[in-house]
Amino acid sequence: MIPVKGFAGQNVAVLGLGRSGLATAHSLRDGGAHAVCWDDNPAARETAEAEGFTCKDLRKQGAFDEIATLIVSPGIPHLYPHPNPVVVAALDAGVPVDNDIGLFFRSFADSSWDNFDTLPRVIAVTGSNGKSTTAALIHHILTEVDRASQLAGNIGRGVLDIDPPEDGSVVVLELSSYQTELARSMTPDIALFTNLSPDHLDRHAGMGGYFAAKRRLFAEGGPDRAIVGVDEPEGMFLAGQMSEGPTDDRVIRISVDRKLTGPGWQVFARKGFLSEYRKGRQTGSIDLRAIKGLPGAHNHQNACAAYAACRSLGLAPRVIEAALHSYPGLPHRSQIVAEAGGVTYVNDSKATNVDSAAKALSAFKRIRWICGGLEKEGGLGALNTAKDNVAKAYVIGREAAAFALQLDMETEVCTTMAQAVERAMAEAQEGETVLLAPAAASFDQYDNFEQRGEDFTQEVRARLPA
């Protein structure tokens, strides 16, 4: 655990008592602060009280008297679409609002580092798609080369719940826009931006606010090195803002759309081959096509990002290449759950928006596609660009019929996962892929995308020969 610094003897309010909220309360207590907790859910309050914390209704008049700051869990809105009443009360009382990411960065370093030969490093990964895979891939590579590494943030452990760092160790953080938009302190050594596509637009009042939340990791943090995907205009703009000129290798540009040129530092993938160029010369190359855990161009972008981060730490290209081959992939992200009768079954339940689903569809040929759920803003038109890869779509969800009408391909309304899997498996032929890539949120039928992916996996395996 990382004890929170700077609040010893003070009252700090904690709003939201899920995983990150409870970890924050414990870290505040370890740092000598008194955590004053609140959650609208009585069960969450009971859990906190059982662990020795004081719960106080922060919605009541005078609740923020003698409170030093308010720490807000990521899922609680503080501005758009409507700020939580507790956040409004804090701001009205002049109380600063922060989150666990801000507390982590202000508390991570301590005096024990004076005895380290190599200072610990923090790599922070953000973007719309590929954050989890990129962060997990960096952590995997470091682990494979016996470099102490911890994976935290939006994946793995809560940021304040990790172990104190060792000499030369690395903390790899996956950070969502919900986390970057509010943190008052962000000082990663390496900041990484994968890509940008529409998501969480109600929370950020549109694409501009969404990009601004991501950009804060770079603008507020001033990382020693910025790794930026430049396949969208926002990434190009961000890379330009971070760079002092064409030869500034503090910025590494990455792409899967084109070959990058110039005297700077670039990593890109074309036709399945990763290339690294520095000062106009090629310094590394990896054939990604045979790496089973990283199928498709979207995963090749993740490989470029992870490669660039590990090269920034001084790892050699061949060392990174060997580690890429042993990467098993993450659950619910292009995860091969079965292969039988010449058919491959892939769980990409994490493809919760149109862009990530389109990338999944482009990664495979001859697809029996299971899709649908709680549709997000923007429509489904972009999915039709990959229709040549789809033999048929099997649509699930409460609004399956309306979802299917937007697809320019053969569809079958199945509604339930069980029916979709049964129909797709019955019609799948040798050489085809049965792919779950919903292009929608899961909340109309499931608690989360993990539960949806597990349901798909169970339905597939239950129907395979013993």
Side-chain angles (χ1 to χ4, degrees):
M1 180 165 288
I2 305 297
V4 172
K5 297 181 177 67
F7 295 103
Q10 300 182 64
N11 296 323
V12 177
V14 178
L15 177 61
L17 297 173
R19 183 189 68 158
S20 67
L22 272 179
T24 297
H26 279 285
S27 294
L28 285 163
R29 184 163 63 187
D30 281 4
H34 176 58
V36 179
C37 303
W38 182 253
D39 193 298
D40 291 342
N41 185 346
R45 298 198 299 270
E46 289 175 10
T47 299
E49 288 171 343
E51 296 182 21
F53 295 107
T54 299
C55 287
K56 176 181 178 181
D57 191 342
L58 297 173
R59 300 168 297 182
K60 291 186 176 180
Q61 184 72 28
F64 283 94
D65 294 348
E66 300 182 353
I67 295 290
T69 194
L70 170 66
I71 307 303
V72 179
S73 293
I76 298 173
H78 60 271
L79 187 55
Y80 303 115
H82 305 288
N84 184 281
V86 173
V87 175
V88 173
L91 296 174
D92 191 51
V95 173
V97 180
D98 203 350
N99 62 13
D100 60 337
I101 304 301
L103 295 182
F104 167 81
F105 278 110
R106 69 180 287 167
S107 307
F108 184 51
D110 62 35
S111 58
S112 67
W113 291 24
D114 294 340
N115 301 316
F116 289 165
D117 293 326
T118 303
L119 292 178
R121 309 288 293 279
V122 176
I123 302 174
V125 181
T126 196
S128 295
N129 299 309
K131 298 186 299 297
S132 297
T133 297
T134 297
L137 188 53
I138 295 168
H139 174 65
H140 171 79
I141 294 168
L142 295 173
T143 302
E144 287 290 288
V145 301
D146 295 324
R147 181 114 179 228
S149 173
Q150 298 185 77
L151 185 62
N154 214 33
I155 186 175
R157 301 163 73 179
V159 290
L160 294 170
D161 196 36
I162 66 172
D163 300 325
E166 305 172 14
D167 191 336
S169 66
V170 180
V171 175
V172 185
L173 302 180
E174 180 201 339
L175 300 181
S176 71
S177 57
Y178 289 10
Q179 294 167 310
T180 58
E181 70 174 344
L182 190 58
R184 295 173 67 89
S185 175
M186 287 187 290
T187 53
D189 298 284
I190 299 170
L192 199 158
F193 176 86
T194 58
N195 51 59
L196 196 77
S197 62
D199 208 355
H200 310 304
L201 299 188
D202 58 338
R203 174 68 179 257
H204 302 294
M207 280 294 287
Y210 181 44
F211 175 55
K214 301 286 188 185
R215 180 182 171 276
R216 287 191 77 250
L217 179 63
F218 299 80
E220 304 293 328
D224 295 332
R225 176 153 282 123
I227 300 167
V228 183
V230 295
D231 289 338
E232 294 87 30
E234 294 87 353
M236 287 283 286
F237 179 78
L238 178 59
Q241 283 202 311
M242 299 301 296
S243 175
E244 293 295 332
T247 61
D248 186 357
D249 66 2
R250 295 173 303 169
V251 177
I252 305 176
R253 292 168 172 82
I254 60 173
S255 175
V256 289
D257 278 356
R258 63 193 187 281
K259 177 180 179 179
L260 299 177
T261 59
W265 195 347
Q266 294 102 12
V267 178
F268 58 90
R270 297 180 71 206
K271 299 181 179 179
F273 286 88
L274 179 152
S275 298
E276 176 190 7
Y277 276 75
R278 198 168 184 181
K279 298 180 180 178
R281 300 179 60 184
Q282 186 170 6
T283 54
S285 177
I286 298 175
D287 184 353
L288 300 173
R289 296 172 299 175
I291 300 176
K292 205 167 187 179
L294 296 168
H298 61 303
N299 276 310
H300 293 173
Q301 183 184 56
N302 300 333
C304 287
Y307 176 95
C310 292
R311 289 288 286 139
S312 297
L313 295 174
L315 274 62
R318 293 301 165 222
V319 170
I320 299 172
E321 180 178 10
L324 289 176
H325 278 278
S326 62
Y327 178 64
L330 282 175
H332 316 297
R333 297 162 177 87
S334 297
Q335 177 193 16
I336 297 175
V337 298
E339 294 177 288
V343 178
T344 302
Y345 298 89
V346 178
N347 167 22
D348 201 350
S349 184
K350 185 60 170 65
T352 58
N353 59 42
V354 167
D355 185 67
S356 56
K359 289 176 178 176
L361 291 175
S362 67
F364 304 96
K365 304 295 183 183
R366 297 170 58 192
I367 298 168
R368 300 284 169 177
W369 177 32
I370 298 176
C371 58
L374 190 62
E375 187 180 338
K376 296 185 177 181
E377 293 181 20
L380 307 176
L383 294 169
N384 293 317
T385 60
K387 66 179 181 179
D388 291 343
N389 290 352
V390 179
K392 185 176 178 180
Y394 306 79
V395 188
I396 64 173
R398 294 179 185 172
E399 304 297 330
F403 195 101
L405 286 173
Q406 299 181 64
L407 301 177
D408 184 19
M409 60 188 71
E410 183 181 356
T411 63
E412 181 174 337
V413 175
C414 297
T415 307
T416 67
M417 183 68 74
Q419 185 178 352
V421 170
E422 180 181 15
R423 295 293 299 137
M425 292 183 73
E427 296 184 346
Q429 302 176 24
E430 185 175 349
E432 292 186 339
T433 297
V434 175
L435 170 67
L436 170 66
S442 59
F443 305 125
D444 61 333
Q445 292 182 308
Y446 301 94
D447 291 339
N448 48 52
F449 73 84
E450 292 96 340
Q451 189 182 82
R452 177 173 58 190
E454 289 160 4
D455 190 20
F456 169 78
T457 301
Q458 290 169 3
E459 292 290 346
V460 168
R461 290 175 176 169
R463 289 171 169 77
L464 293 175

